[in-house]
Amino acid sequence: MNSPHFSTKERILGAAEELFARNGFAGASLRELTATAKVNLAAVNYHFGSKDNLVNEVFRRRLDELSAQRLHLLQSVLAKPKPTLEEILAAFIHPALLLSLDKSGGATFVRVLARAYAEHNERLRKFLSENYGHVLKEFAAAFGAQLPHLDKEELYWRIDIIAGALTYAMADFGVIKRRAAMSEKIHRERAAEHLIRFAAAGLRAE
Amino acid sequence: MNSPHFSTKERILGAAEELFARNGFAGASLRELTATAKVNLAAVNYHFGSKDNLVNEVFRRRLDELSAQRLHLLQSVLAKPKPTLEEILAAFIHPALLLSLDKSGGATFVRVLARAYAEHNERLRKFLSENYGHVLKEFAAAFGAQLPHLDKEELYWRIDIIAGALTYAMADFGVIKRRAAMSEKIHRERAAEHLIRFAAAGLRAE
DNA sequence: GGTAAAACCAAACGACCGTTTGAATCATAA
DNA sequence: TTATGATTCAAACGGTCGTTTGGTTTTACC
């Protein structure tokens, strides 16, 4: 990931993703980060201006495509004559699954994403809300059309629980460990299947 | 919470809970913490030995009772002739709800609990697993007896998702904000009801 | 090949961190 | 009242942090 044929900026972003996932944003120091990326300590401030801005760029590098994929899939589903709840959920979950299978750091980034949920960093939340908040809004509208029996408050509760559970599950936060014989791909695909089935049942309940 | 009629140790524990919830364990400094508690900087190391041990004691103060309540409720439910899935879930969720309604920092502690899930702090995880791991094991066995059609792997997936979603929801991590007119108590009780219904449907699915 | 911009680098800055020290103060029992 | 142990306190220690500086090297273009 940090091979010499990558540019300095790319090596910094790769090392940042890895260390943010492992140690959190405050817990990852620029000294360890620049040593991992094999660049000078001052390179972060030279190329990104500050550590805070580096955090933003780590998210932008992945979320632009993740959000585009989710919205594109959602539009495909909503264009169908009779979209199902499972299809809408899949539009949300499947791009995250693909990202977690990405060969160059995608799985790591999903863990960084979970960090962002957990840390109530106001500055980061504002950045994410301003740049990617519209995606969640569109999914909320799609779910609402599928579940007219739920009032707005009830619907928000359930979507909220799903978003938290999805983040938790995709980041492999829990205790479960795949058997060594099971490939990472199958492991994650089963996770997504379980989550979709689980979430759809929970959304339809009552 | 930090009134002068509380002992130095109690004032430190109260301030620690508050600042750990707001800033995380590494993000809360002993200088800000002792200033909040109105005690001398050296008091933490004098009474608790180290910051790490203070973190442990913040958890012990609440988790001893939370775990006892959960196990007691679980035993009551399992003693019934026909325990339901909802009742087992309630045995897990309801004590956390009660804690979140506690007048003296319980709601704050639930947010600290969510921090512990999110931060992959190996030292803290070991402490929690050694002291409270048996609680989760007993609940897993109870769920397994209720869901014989699920193999062990499938069951663990679903329990894992529930534990994550519970932590997420109870800590009020999400975007939803209760209306000002709705009391905190009703807000939390509805959250627990929703979560139980949601989780039961997800566990029963397929 | 000369030149201006871009990139890189070692070193240092000031700030904050957890912890330790040793003396001052308090409580309590003889 | 005096002696003793528990507690509190201001001050300092060594270390790590993000950031800045000023000079050196590399790159790109006429």
Side-chain angles (χ1 to χ4, degrees):
Chain A
M1 176 183 310
N2 299 322
S3 313
H5 59 85
F6 284 105
S7 74
T8 296
K9 285 181 82 162
E10 284 166 339
R11 291 214 305 284
I12 290 174
L13 285 171
E17 196 167 64
E18 210 164 295
L19 292 181
F20 289 163
R22 182 157 42 204
N23 303 324
F25 304 106
S29 78
L30 291 187
R31 282 170 176 79
E32 183 182 6
L33 197 157
T34 51
T36 302
K38 295 195 202 316
V39 302
N40 185 271
L41 168 62
V44 168
N45 283 277
Y46 176 77
H47 285 285
F48 296 95
S50 68
K51 184 183 180 181
D52 275 351
N53 200 56
L54 170 62
V55 174
N56 290 352
E57 292 308 311
V58 165
F59 279 94
R60 194 194 307 279
R61 184 171 66 144
R62 306 277 185 186
L63 285 188
D64 281 354
E65 192 180 342
L66 179 69
S67 297
Q69 285 180 6
R70 279 175 164 167
L71 288 178
H72 182 258
L73 269 177
L74 178 62
Q75 282 169 8
S76 301
V77 169
L78 294 184
K80 287 185 171 188
K82 281 180 119 186
T84 70
L85 202 56
E86 279 82 358
E87 287 170 331
I88 300 176
L89 278 168
F92 192 81
I93 292 174
H94 213 73
L97 171 68
L98 284 182
L99 185 59
S100 79
L101 292 172
D102 180 85
K103 293 298 178 207
S104 49
T108 304
F109 176 72
V110 177
R111 289 169 56 208
V112 176
L113 209 48
R115 288 274 191 187
Y117 270 84
E119 299 192 12
H120 279 222
N121 185 322
E122 209 47 56
R123 193 200 55 78
L124 179 56
R125 288 173 88 84
K126 191 181 173 197
F127 170 82
L128 294 175
S129 168
E130 282 175 354
N131 287 277
Y132 306 102
H134 64 287
V135 178
L136 280 182
K137 273 209 168 182
E138 296 217 20
F139 273 90
F143 284 129
Q146 289 287 316
L147 303 161
H149 64 290
L150 296 182
D151 63 29
K152 205 161 189 173
E153 192 203 1
E154 178 80 24
L155 176 67
Y156 278 160
W157 269 114
R158 300 196 183 191
I159 292 176
D160 192 42
I161 292 171
I162 286 176
L166 166 63
T167 306
Y168 183 89
M170 295 304 272
D172 244 347
F173 256 38
V175 289
I176 192 169
K177 294 277 171 274
R178 68 188 160 91
R179 284 167 290 167
M182 191 184 294
S183 81
E184 179 73 12
K185 186 171 189 294
I186 292 177
H187 177 73
R188 299 234 173 231
E189 279 175 355
R190 295 198 61 177
E193 284 166 19
H194 294 163
L195 193 60
I196 289 173
R197 223 178 312 145
F198 179 90
L203 280 173
R204 286 206 184 90
E206 184 208 31
Chain B
M1 178 182 311
N2 299 322
S3 313
H5 60 86
F6 284 106
S7 74
T8 297
K9 284 181 84 164
E10 284 166 338
R11 292 213 306 283
I12 290 175
L13 286 170
E17 195 167 64
E18 208 164 297
L19 291 181
F20 290 163
R22 184 159 41 207
N23 303 324
F25 304 107
S29 78
L30 291 187
R31 280 169 177 81
E32 183 182 4
L33 197 157
T34 51
T36 302
K38 296 196 202 315
V39 302
N40 185 270
L41 169 61
V44 169
N45 284 276
Y46 176 77
H47 285 285
F48 296 94
S50 69
K51 184 183 180 182
D52 276 351
N53 199 58
L54 170 62
V55 174
N56 290 352
E57 294 307 313
V58 166
F59 280 94
R60 194 193 306 279
R61 184 170 67 143
R62 306 276 186 186
L63 284 188
D64 281 353
E65 192 181 341
L66 179 68
S67 298
Q69 285 181 5
R70 279 175 165 167
L71 287 179
H72 182 260
L73 269 177
L74 179 62
Q75 283 169 7
S76 301
V77 169
L78 294 183
K80 287 187 172 185
K82 281 178 121 185
T84 69
L85 201 55
E86 278 81 359
E87 287 170 332
I88 300 177
L89 279 168
F92 192 80
I93 293 175
H94 213 74
L97 171 68
L98 283 182
L99 185 59
S100 79
L101 293 172
D102 180 86
K103 292 298 178 207
S104 50
T108 305
F109 176 73
V110 176
R111 289 169 56 209
V112 176
L113 209 48
R115 288 274 190 186
Y117 270 82
E119 299 193 10
H120 280 219
N121 185 322
E122 209 47 56
R123 191 201 57 76
L124 179 56
R125 289 174 87 84
K126 191 183 173 198
F127 170 82
L128 294 175
S129 168
E130 282 175 354
N131 287 277
Y132 307 101
H134 64 286
V135 179
L136 281 182
K137 272 207 166 184
E138 296 216 23
F139 272 91
F143 285 129
Q146 288 288 315
L147 303 161
H149 65 289
L150 297 182
D151 64 30
K152 205 161 188 172
E153 192 203 1
E154 178 80 23
L155 177 67
Y156 279 160
W157 269 115
R158 300 194 183 191
I159 292 177
D160 192 43
I161 291 171
I162 286 176
L166 167 64
T167 306
Y168 183 89
M170 294 305 273
D172 245 346
F173 256 36
V175 290
I176 191 169
K177 295 275 171 276
R178 68 189 158 90
R179 282 168 290 165
M182 190 185 295
S183 81
E184 180 73 11
K185 184 170 191 294
I186 291 176
H187 176 72
R188 299 232 171 230
E189 278 174 357
R190 295 198 61 176
E193 284 167 19
H194 294 161
L195 193 61
I196 289 172
R197 223 178 312 145
F198 179 91
L203 280 173
R204 286 208 183 87
E206 186 207 28

